[in-house]
Amino acid sequence: MDTPLGISAGRQKTLQALEEQTELAPIDEPASINDLIDAVKDITVPRVLSPPQKTVEQIDEIHTALPEDAQPHYVSDDRLLRHINAARRQFNDWMGKRRRMAEMPSPVETGRANYPTRRAQKRSRLEREAREELEAKLDRAQSTARGAEQRALNAIGSSVGEQTDQRREQQRNELREQLSPGAIVKFRNPELRAGQVVRVNKKSVRVRYPNPRAGTTCPITGEEEPAEREDRIQLDSEYLEQLDAETIDDAADLLDGL
């Protein structure tokens, strides 16, 4: 098709993109996670429909976090594959309705007196319903990925809870090896703060940090608030991280810039 010009250029470009996009066939027995991800990425039309990135990321992240011996079970999960294929079929249905909608000239092209309003409204409604159904099927595929994770773990005699505990223990071990008294860390308690490690325990770390209420008095006891406070932070906290800073002031400046 020639490059579209004039008042119908946008519609013609959309129609061209849809005509160049082939319908998707169901996938059968994916050999790798790339086959599974590509099957979802295929649900796109350049300049018309963006790839379902959230669904792609969900499937990929779950697969990456699984133990190596559970990953093949995840890739071959029948329910996940069925939902992906359902989304691919719905994509074909939506694409046909979107193409018929793009084939209809706009009121500017035909003139309002000659514009088939009812037919245009019907095509628009059918396209919108097909698009909503496609989004619903992609959401089902995304949620099914979580079920596929548990089924893959069941196949090797494990569970999501067990894997979560193992990841937390791994995180604790890694931080325990990295941290030592004097190290500067950031943490949340409940606001994001910076402090200095006082002691590293088996599952937690003792941190000393500037008291945000320093210079005031406690409303209950009437005692003056100390310049610093200490608290215990769990080593598996997602907010605990060692900072490349020499002092708490340097770390505070760094956090202010985040």
Side-chain angles (χ1 to χ4, degrees):
M1 180 180 291
D2 295 334
T3 302
L5 300 171
I7 58 176
S8 66
R11 181 178 64 81
Q12 292 291 344
K13 285 181 179 179
T14 297
L15 186 57
Q16 180 178 337
L18 290 164
E19 289 177 343
E20 290 174 352
Q21 175 66 46
T22 58
E23 289 196 347
L24 302 180
I27 60 168
D28 186 31
E29 297 182 358
S32 68
I33 187 60
N34 290 332
D35 292 342
L36 214 58
I37 289 174
D38 288 344
V40 180
K41 282 184 176 179
D42 287 343
I43 303 175
T44 182
V45 179
R47 304 186 304 275
V48 181
L49 181 70
S50 300
Q53 197 60 32
K54 287 185 178 180
T55 304
V56 169
E57 291 174 355
Q58 175 88 315
I59 292 173
D60 189 28
E61 288 173 3
I62 292 175
H63 177 268
T64 301
L66 281 169
E68 189 173 340
D69 53 346
Q71 290 178 347
H73 298 285
Y74 180 79
V75 171
S76 62
D77 186 79
D78 183 63
R79 293 187 198 175
L80 180 56
L81 189 60
R82 285 206 311 270
H83 282 290
I84 291 175
N85 281 331
R88 286 167 69 90
R89 287 191 297 272
Q90 183 59 33
F91 169 76
N92 295 337
D93 179 71
W94 166 82
M95 194 165 55
K97 291 180 171 64
R98 185 66 181 87
R99 186 185 299 115
R100 286 191 288 276
M101 183 177 165
E103 289 171 346
M104 178 168 289
S106 68
V108 177
E109 296 173 71
T110 63
R112 294 196 175 276
N114 299 320
Y115 186 66
T117 302
R118 289 186 179 179
R119 191 193 317 164
Q121 290 175 342
K122 179 179 179 181
R123 291 190 182 186
S124 177
R125 176 179 57 79
L126 292 174
E127 186 276 338
R128 183 178 65 256
E129 291 173 352
R131 174 70 177 269
E132 290 172 352
E133 183 61 24
L134 173 59
E135 292 174 352
K137 290 186 183 300
L138 286 169
D139 286 344
R140 290 190 197 108
Q142 184 175 336
S143 61
T144 303
R146 280 297 174 197
E149 175 188 27
Q150 182 61 73
R151 289 188 289 275
L153 290 172
N154 289 343
I156 64 169
S158 186
S159 67
V160 172
E162 182 179 336
Q163 293 300 312
T164 300
D165 289 342
Q166 290 180 5
R167 284 194 292 270
R168 285 178 175 173
E169 182 61 28
Q170 181 180 356
Q171 180 179 341
R172 284 194 291 264
N173 291 338
E174 290 175 353
L175 269 176
R176 195 182 300 115
E177 292 176 0
Q178 294 173 11
L179 298 179
S180 60
I184 306 298
V185 295
K186 73 173 182 178
F187 59 97
R188 189 174 290 278
N189 184 36
E191 297 179 358
L192 194 62
R193 303 188 188 282
Q196 187 175 42
V197 173
V198 177
R199 184 175 65 253
V200 180
N201 303 314
K202 183 177 181 180
K203 293 187 177 183
S204 65
V205 60
R206 194 77 181 176
V207 178
R208 181 182 297 122
Y209 59 95
N211 182 4
R213 295 180 58 83
T216 65
T217 56
C218 176
I220 298 176
T221 65
E223 296 179 354
E224 186 176 348
E225 289 280 354
E228 296 179 324
R229 283 191 174 278
E230 287 189 11
D231 212 337
R232 186 177 63 180
I233 310 300
Q234 296 300 314
L235 281 168
D236 58 6
S237 168
E238 62 178 307
Y239 302 106
L240 179 63
E241 180 182 338
Q242 184 171 3
L243 294 177
D244 185 16
E246 295 183 359
T247 67
I248 293 179
D249 289 340
D250 291 342
D253 291 340
L254 178 62
L255 294 185
D256 289 340
L258 295 179

